[in-house]
Amino acid sequence: MAKIGLIGGTGVYDPNLLSGISEENVTTEYGAVKVKLGEYEGTTVAFLARHGEDHAVPPHKINYRANILAMKKLGVERIIATGAVGSLNLEMQPGEFILVDQFLDFTKNRIQTFFDDSERGVVHVDMTEPYCIELRKIIANAAATLKLPVKTSGTYVCTEGPRFETPAEIKMYSSLGGDLVGMTSVPEVVLAREAEICYATIGMVTNYAAGISPTPLTHAEVVEAMNRNNENLKKLVMRTIEIIPQERKCECQNAIAELGSLGQGKLLS
Ligand code: HPA
C-alpha cells in the first residue's frame, strides 16, 4: 500500500528519488498499469510515468482511467502530478513552477468519468476546487523552504494535442482567462476527484506558447527545459513528501459523498 502517488509528466520518467524500488503490475478493468513502489523518508510512494518510461504514449492515448484506478487500488490518498506547460501569461516565465488551481477543458475525445454505466450510477462531481487546496498549500510551503520560484494559482488550458496550438487558439485561450497550456491535466484531475484522491499539479513552464514565443515550438525544446529544471522539481517533490501530514483534512475525500458509502466501493469492486 502507498498513501502518496506521483505521476511524472514529460521529462520525469524515473523514480530515482525513491529507494527499495519494486515494480507492481496493477490490474484494473481498464487495463493493467505498471507502477513503481519505493520509499522516501519512511513513506511508501507509488510512481507512474504518464507517457510511459520511453515517452511512447501521446496525451490523447494515455489510459487515464486505468492510471487513476491503479493508484486508488494501491491505497493512494494524494497524487502529486508534474506537467510541462506553455505559458500564455508573461508573468509566468519559463523555469517557474505553477500550482495550477483551475482548468479550461478543450479536450475532444477523452472519457472523463468512472461512472458511465447504470451499475455504478451517475455522478456529477463538484469541480469548484479541482486541485486540492491543502496539497497545493503543502507544495507551496515546500517551495518556500527551498526558495524556488513558484506561483500558487494559474488556469490550465487542456488541449487534445498531440499537436501544439495555433497562435489564434492561444489568443482565444488567453482572452478566456487561461494562463498555461498543456495536454494532460484533464481528465486526470477529474478522475482523481471522482476517486476522492487529493490531486495537485506542479506545472513547470517550459516555453511561451505559440505566437508569444518568437520561434516555432518543438518537443525537444520542452524536454530540454524540463531537464534544466529537473533537479529543482525533484527537490520540490521530495520536500513536499517530507512535510506532508499523515492525515488529510480537506474535502477531497468526500467528493462523491452524494453517492453514499457505496461510491468508492463500486469503484474498487
Ligand atoms: N502547448 C501544449 N503543451 C505544452 C506546451 C505548449 O506550448 N509546452 C509544454 N507542454
Side-chain angles (χ1 to χ4, degrees):
M1 295 295 270
K3 275 188 153 187
I4 296 180
L6 202 52
I7 300 186
T10 298
V12 184
Y13 305 120
D14 76 76
N16 61 7
L17 62 173
L18 306 175
S19 60
I21 293 171
S22 62
E23 190 165 90
E24 192 149 332
N25 204 31
V26 185
T27 54
T28 77
E29 66 195 87
Y30 307 106
V33 182
K34 276 195 190 131
V35 181
K36 290 196 170 146
L37 293 173
E39 299 282 322
Y40 182 67
E41 301 262 321
T43 304
T44 306
V45 178
F47 175 85
L48 179 53
R50 185 187 287 124
H51 297 279
E53 283 165 26
D54 46 3
H55 200 104
V57 188
H60 62 295
K61 287 203 167 154
I62 292 167
N63 195 342
Y64 294 98
R65 290 198 292 185
N67 288 351
I68 297 297
L69 193 51
M71 289 284 184
K72 182 80 186 169
K73 285 191 161 187
L74 289 168
V76 167
E77 292 180 351
R78 291 170 168 128
I79 292 175
I80 303 166
T82 74
V85 286
S87 173
L88 283 59
N89 179 338
L90 293 178
E91 285 176 13
M92 297 183 179
Q93 296 164 5
E96 267 190 302
F97 295 111
I98 317 291
L99 305 177
V100 174
D101 68 332
Q102 288 289 316
F103 67 73
L104 289 168
D105 178 16
F106 282 88
T107 64
K108 295 178 179 155
N109 226 344
R110 303 181 187 183
I111 299 174
Q112 301 209 3
T113 184
F114 290 115
F115 296 89
D116 64 349
D117 62 28
S118 52
E119 233 169 75
R120 279 194 181 149
V122 175
V123 164
H124 302 288
V125 71
D126 173 61
M127 279 287 134
T128 309
E129 294 286 355
Y131 301 88
C132 174
I133 300 176
E134 190 179 85
L135 187 53
R136 282 174 38 236
K137 270 193 197 139
I138 298 166
I139 301 171
N141 289 342
T145 65
L146 292 165
K147 299 192 168 44
L148 291 174
V150 71
K151 290 204 164 59
T152 52
S153 65
T155 296
Y156 182 116
V157 178
C158 194
T159 66
E160 182 68 13
R163 66 168 176 84
F164 286 122
E165 304 71 36
T166 64
E169 286 170 324
I170 292 298
K171 237 188 236 170
M172 175 185 72
Y173 297 146
S174 181
S175 73
L176 293 175
D179 296 305
L180 305 164
V181 61
M183 303 176 190
T184 54
S185 202
V186 182
E188 205 168 82
V189 60
V190 179
L191 294 166
R193 204 155 164 74
E194 278 193 353
E196 298 184 335
I197 299 174
C198 299
Y199 179 96
T201 288
I202 305 175
M204 223 296 283
V205 181
T206 51
N207 57 282
Y208 284 116
I212 300 175
S213 165
T215 51
L217 298 180
T218 62
H219 179 62
E221 169 190 348
V222 170
V223 173
E224 272 164 33
M226 276 310 288
N227 289 345
R228 275 199 297 276
N229 222 356
N230 214 307
E231 281 311 305
N232 282 339
L233 184 54
K234 269 188 208 158
K235 276 190 207 154
L236 180 53
V237 170
M238 287 154 92
R239 179 61 56 85
T240 302
I241 295 171
E242 280 167 23
I243 66 173
I244 217 161
Q246 276 287 320
E247 300 303 324
R248 51 184 180 155
K249 295 206 171 80
C250 53
E251 275 306 306
C252 305
Q253 56 200 306
N254 302 314
I256 60 163
E258 66 177 289
L259 222 68
S261 56
L262 275 181
Q264 295 302 305
K266 282 183 180 174
L267 210 53
L268 290 170
S269 65

